[in-house]
Amino acid sequence: REVWRLGSVLLERGLDQEQLFFVGGNDSEVRAIRRCLDTGSPLDPSLNPHSIAETFVQLLGSLPVPVIPPAYRAQCIDRRKSPDRCWEVLLSMPPEHLSLLQYLASFVRQLLAHSDRNRLTVRAVAVLMAAVWMEQDWSEFADGLEPIRHLVPEQEVVMHILRGQGEGAP
């Protein structure tokens, strides 16, 4: 529920925000957003979209089981060269994981549709979302997100998802 709430706010307030997810938020605002999520209070309209985005990523990263659970992650990585075969695996995930993944893919595609203003790229977002959705090792990001010269397997899977490639892709 909190993921959808923050996603909606980001689509309202952050769609055209440059480098959303790649500029850190304000620590006190992030704490305030978490309090609002915990209590169900409304979010202050003056909150910086970067703070909301940071909280969104933290929330996804704190899920007890990642968006793409480990067993499905391994199968997707094995089948990553074929978007159709990858989607066969994703479509077999438990309904709550599949629903969340479909929402997140749609959400990110909406952000990418505004890339001329927000400067997001499919590749950069795939690097970040692979880490968040699949619990990828964060040590690979020591030098930032863009300098990665090749896509690691998890990122290839997320690229298929974000591009809507493969039979069954939403």
Side-chain angles (χ1 to χ4, degrees), residues 101-115:
L101 178 64
Q102 289 171 326
Y103 168 77
L104 291 169
S106 174
F107 166 78
V108 171
R109 285 187 202 116
Q110 289 178 65
L111 292 174
L112 290 170
H114 291 253
S115 62

Side-chain angles (χ1 to χ4, degrees), residues 21 57-58 60-61 127-145 148:
F21 298 112
V57 169
Q58 289 176 0
L60 290 172
V127 169
L128 174 65
M129 294 305 163
V132 176
W133 296 354
M134 300 170 109
E135 280 193 337
Q136 186 180 342
D137 182 5
W138 282 91
S139 66
E140 297 177 36
F141 303 103
D143 296 326
L145 295 170
I148 296 174

Side-chain angles (χ1 to χ4, degrees), residues 22 24 36 49 51 67 69 84 86 94 101 105 114-115 121 128 131 143 153 167:
F22 299 99
C36 287
S51 299
V67 175
D84 292 340
C86 188
L101 178 64
H114 291 253
S115 62
T121 66
L128 174 65
D143 296 326
E167 182 103 14

Side-chain angles (χ1 to χ4, degrees), residues 74-87:
Q75 291 177 55
C76 280
I77 288 170
D78 289 344
R79 300 171 188 190
R80 72 185 179 278
K81 298 300 179 190
S82 167
D84 292 340
R85 293 186 66 218
C86 188
W87 270 105

